[in-house]
Amino acid sequence: MKRKTIFGVFILLLLSFSLFAQNFNDALLKAVQFYDANRCGPLAGEDNIFSDWRGACHTKDGQDVGVDLTGGFHDAGDHVKFGLPQAYTAGVLGWALYEFKDQIAAAGATEKLLKTLKYFTDYFIKSKVGSRFYYQVGEGEADHTYWGPPEEQSSDRPTYAWADSSKAATDVLSQTSAALSLMYLNYREINSSYANQCLTLARDLFDMAKSNIGRGNGQSFYQSSSMYDDLSWAATWLYVIDNDASLISDVKTWLQKPTQNGDVPLNQNHWTMCWDDMGLAVIAKLGMLTGDSQYISVLEENLRYWLNDLATTPGGMKYLNNWGVLRYNAAESMIALLYYGHTGTKAYLDFAEKQLKYMLGANPANMSYLIGYGSNWAKHPHHRAANGYTYANGDNQKPAKHTITGALVGGPDQSDRYVDDVNQFQYTEVALDYNAGLVGALAGYLKYAGGVIETPTPVQVTPTPVENTPTPTPASEYTVGDVNNDGNRNIVDALLIAQLYVGLPVPTYVVPEEYGDLNMDGVVNIVDALLIAQCYVGLPTAYC
Ligand SMILES: [Zn+2]
């Protein structure tokens, strides 16, 4: 009887999969439309696909410093406007449009994508006032105490961070410069005057970034581990525009400088493109553009590692990191597809296809991780506007009031398990940067594999205990709780967090951020220190 039940379920699964067709054009359009959900400012509700639940918000941004800093985008499920992920997103979306213009047009997504990009660059342009570039509005800790729609958030939002001759932010300025250069390239035939305005600012920010070297302040949320990768990313796109060989020579020098993690991008990079690390993107673009064998070998080693050595879940998902894992797979897929276009090596296309299909529903959970796509998707995204409730009575844990169509959620864990819980934001958060690589990957896949892809084959896996899955550790990966990244979570980590908590200085290599948040409550504090200490002495807690 039991066997029959299992067989019946299997047949039902087969049937549901045979009705399930992955339309990558539709996925691409939706992934682009997602950005409307995170618009900020007085114009947030205009021409917004989510206009029934999104409208003007944060209309006083910048008033505390006498500047109009309204506009831009909320970062993720929260409402802070962080500099680095906004610039990263605008850059990668611009890159996707630059490389895959025809496929984006075929999906009907060009108009929305251009409007989104202009919403970013309009904000970047108004953020440069005199000799200052403002790059963060809102303070992360304070913002994260609020749960509710952005339109109703009335608390003060400080203008938190800016760069000028005395405050360095090479990483943020450089990524913003690259996004503006790409806007110039994408927009010069549409509106040359606006395109030139973008290019002028791109050069200006690049000069600022170079003349005062140092990392910007992204609080604990977006503190980058390097800046020369970003500077190289800005130089890459100015090189595309100017063909100035001195830029190439500078990039070679910059990529030999170690990051805070001790990695040297020009030696090896097993990570992927993300807001913190543009090394691989630079190496891929310049490698393909110039044929430089040093770049090509780093790129090929990165792809070899991802295809062969990186931990893979039983369902076939590549597993780099527990926080928003799918963003990395999307970004790596975009890079793999670009290099497939350059080499014709089918393994790169196959890799991207497998990861994208997994995201869109061909996975053991039979779940589309792109909300509003397919028939079964996450109902509890960690996104305040879409959720539409407040913390009162735990209402925020109800299914979201509004469907945030096109949002890529963080994704499942190492055993292909997805926890659809608004408070488990490693799984359920959505963010600007998550979708950026996905847009590029979907457009790239459409270019090389074409149109509507039927996927009638369900993924059948034999569950494998998580502890048996080999998990090679990439150079930049952290264990949660291991804030000094020495490979062990121990009493030293607990003491470092305690030091931070009481305001004592800690060494610069300590990265508390998300890696110190052992109980995953969104803050790194004394509780995390105590839990780490408990784990260390062998006392039982749920977090060891
Ligand atoms: Zn807002």
Side-chain angles (χ1 to χ4, degrees):
M1 188 62 193
K2 199 176 173 189
R3 260 192 189 178
K4 271 188 181 171
T5 310
I6 292 168
F7 184 69
V9 169
F10 179 71
I11 294 296
L12 275 174
L13 265 175
L14 269 180
L15 277 173
S16 66
F17 270 100
S18 66
L19 295 171
F20 171 69
Q22 283 170 330
N23 182 336
F24 280 67
N25 279 298
D26 185 40
L28 174 56
L29 178 61
K30 286 183 160 76
V32 169
Q33 289 171 335
F34 151 74
Y35 287 97
D36 277 8
N38 276 36
R39 281 189 178 195
C40 187
L43 306 176
E46 285 188 16
D47 192 22
N48 189 318
I49 193 161
F50 306 115
S51 59
D52 53 333
W53 52 277
R54 279 309 329 278
C57 61
H58 306 118
T59 54
K60 294 177 182 171
D61 281 359
Q63 272 191 10
D64 59 332
V65 290
V67 174
D68 174 13
L69 295 174
T70 59
F73 288 81
H74 305 144
D75 176 53
D78 62 347
H79 302 149
V80 180
K81 297 192 294 196
F82 285 108
L84 208 45
Q86 281 193 93
Y88 165 82
T89 300
V92 173
L93 289 175
W95 191 19
L97 183 60
Y98 179 77
E99 304 281 357
F100 306 122
K101 188 178 169 189
D102 293 345
Q103 289 68 41
I104 288 166
T110 304
E111 186 185 349
K112 181 57 80 181
L113 183 52
L114 281 169
K115 282 182 176 168
T116 299
L117 287 168
K118 189 163 182 296
Y119 208 86
F120 274 109
T121 49
D122 283 350
Y123 178 65
F124 297 152
I125 288 167
K126 67 160 66 168
S127 297
K128 178 77 199 317
V129 182
S131 58
R132 273 189 183 180
F133 182 74
Y134 293 93
Y135 62 85
Q136 184 175 325
V137 179
E139 194 278 320
E141 301 290 352
D143 181 86
H144 292 178
T145 62
Y146 169 82
W147 188 275
E151 294 80 3
E152 293 167 23
Q153 188 173 21
S154 55
S155 56
D156 287 342
R157 282 160 61 91
T159 298
Y160 188 84
W162 59 85
D164 58 24
S165 57
S166 64
K167 288 188 176 198
T170 301
D171 42 8
V172 183
L173 294 168
S174 298
Q175 288 221 30
T176 311
S177 168
L180 287 157
S181 289
L182 275 153
M183 188 59 168
Y184 164 78
L185 290 165
N186 286 320
Y187 223 69
R188 59 186 165 182
E189 286 168 14
I190 299 168
N191 180 336
S192 61
S193 160
Y194 186 80
N196 285 325
Q197 194 181 355
C198 289
L199 182 56
T200 302
L201 183 56
R203 295 190 196 286
D204 186 9
L205 297 185
F206 180 62
D207 289 342
M208 271 180 84
K210 268 200 307 184
S211 63
N212 187 13
I213 296 276
R215 292 182 299 155
N217 179 3
Q219 297 191 263
S220 60
F221 305 96
Y222 290 101
Q223 193 60 49
S224 70
S225 59
S226 60
M227 60 211 159
Y228 288 105
D229 58 319
D230 307 305
L231 199 54
S232 301
W233 178 237
T236 296
W237 290 102
L238 288 172
Y239 172 74
V240 170
I241 293 164
D242 294 337
N243 201 27
D244 173 359
S246 71
L247 290 164
I248 294 280
S249 150
D250 287 343
V251 169
K252 266 279 167 84
T253 308
W254 293 332
L255 291 185
Q256 290 178 66
K257 293 182 184 288
T259 69
Q260 296 287 311
N261 302 322
D263 301 331
V264 176
L266 204 53
N267 290 352
Q268 180 173 282
N269 186 341
H270 283 170
W271 201 253
T272 190
M273 175 174 76
C274 67
W275 61 264
D276 185 18
D277 188 351
M278 294 309 285
L280 187 69
V282 171
I283 279 163
K285 184 63 196 171
L286 285 184
M288 287 185 273
L289 207 55
T290 65
D292 186 311
S293 60
Q294 203 171 2
Y295 291 142
I296 295 294
S297 78
V298 175
L299 174 59
E300 291 188 348
E301 166 57 22
N302 170 276
L303 287 163
R304 187 206 60 74
Y305 175 82
W306 270 78
L307 267 63
N308 301 314
D309 287 357
L310 180 60
T312 309
T313 66
M317 178 184 73
K318 294 294 175 179
Y319 191 83
L320 185 67
N321 186 276
N322 72 330
W323 197 295
V325 63
L326 292 178
R327 82 178 112 170
Y328 301 113
N329 299 20
E332 183 74 10
S333 294
M334 178 179 175
I335 300 283
L337 286 161
L338 284 164
Y339 199 51
Y340 168 75
H342 189 72
T343 59
T345 304
K346 191 163 176 300
Y348 303 145
L349 177 65
D350 293 344
F351 160 81
E353 178 176 296
K354 179 145 193 172
Q355 297 310 308
L356 288 171
K357 286 184 175 176
Y358 184 104
M359 287 177 219
L360 298 181
N363 56 62
N366 191 21
M367 168 83 106
S368 163
Y369 295 112
L370 189 68
I371 293 179
Y373 179 88
S375 55
N376 182 32
W377 60 77
K379 300 297 192 296
H380 297 82
H382 185 89
H383 190 276
R384 299 175 196 160
N387 176 261
Y389 296 99
T390 67
Y391 280 130
N393 311 312
D395 282 356
N396 65 314
Q397 293 171 52
K398 291 177 179 171
K401 265 187 202 174
H402 315 294
T403 304
I404 182 168
T405 301
L408 178 71
V409 293
D413 61 20
Q414 283 185 78
S415 50
D416 299 302
R417 185 183 62 124
Y418 182 72
V419 180
D420 196 10
D421 175 345
V422 75
N423 293 321
Q424 298 281 326
F425 34 83
Q426 282 93 334
Y427 299 89
T428 57
E429 182 133 44
V430 308
L432 298 179
D433 67 312
Y434 289 16
N435 266 54
L438 180 65
V439 167
L442 288 167
Y445 188 71
L446 283 163
K447 178 165 184 174
Y448 300 118
V452 177
I453 316 296
E454 301 289 336
T455 50
T457 316
V459 175
Q460 293 297 318
V461 295
T462 310
T464 311
V466 175
E467 57 270 25
N468 291 345
T469 309
T471 314
T473 306
S476 313
E477 188 170 345
Y478 292 87
T479 303
V480 175
D482 179 16
V483 292
N484 63 355
N485 194 28
D486 65 351
N488 299 303
R489 183 180 68 206
N490 54 26
I491 201 70
V492 178
D493 300 300
L495 287 170
L496 285 166
I497 292 178
Q499 263 178 260
L500 272 171
Y501 182 69
V502 297
L504 289 171
V506 296
T508 52
Y509 58 80
V510 172
V511 188
E513 306 162 18
E514 49 210 53
Y515 305 107
D517 187 11
L518 200 67
N519 62 353
M520 297 181 294
D521 64 352
V523 288
V524 178
N525 56 22
I526 199 71
V527 178
D528 299 294
L530 287 170
L531 285 169
I532 290 171
Q534 269 181 263
C535 294
Y536 181 68
V537 297
L539 288 173
T541 86
Y543 302 101
C544 301

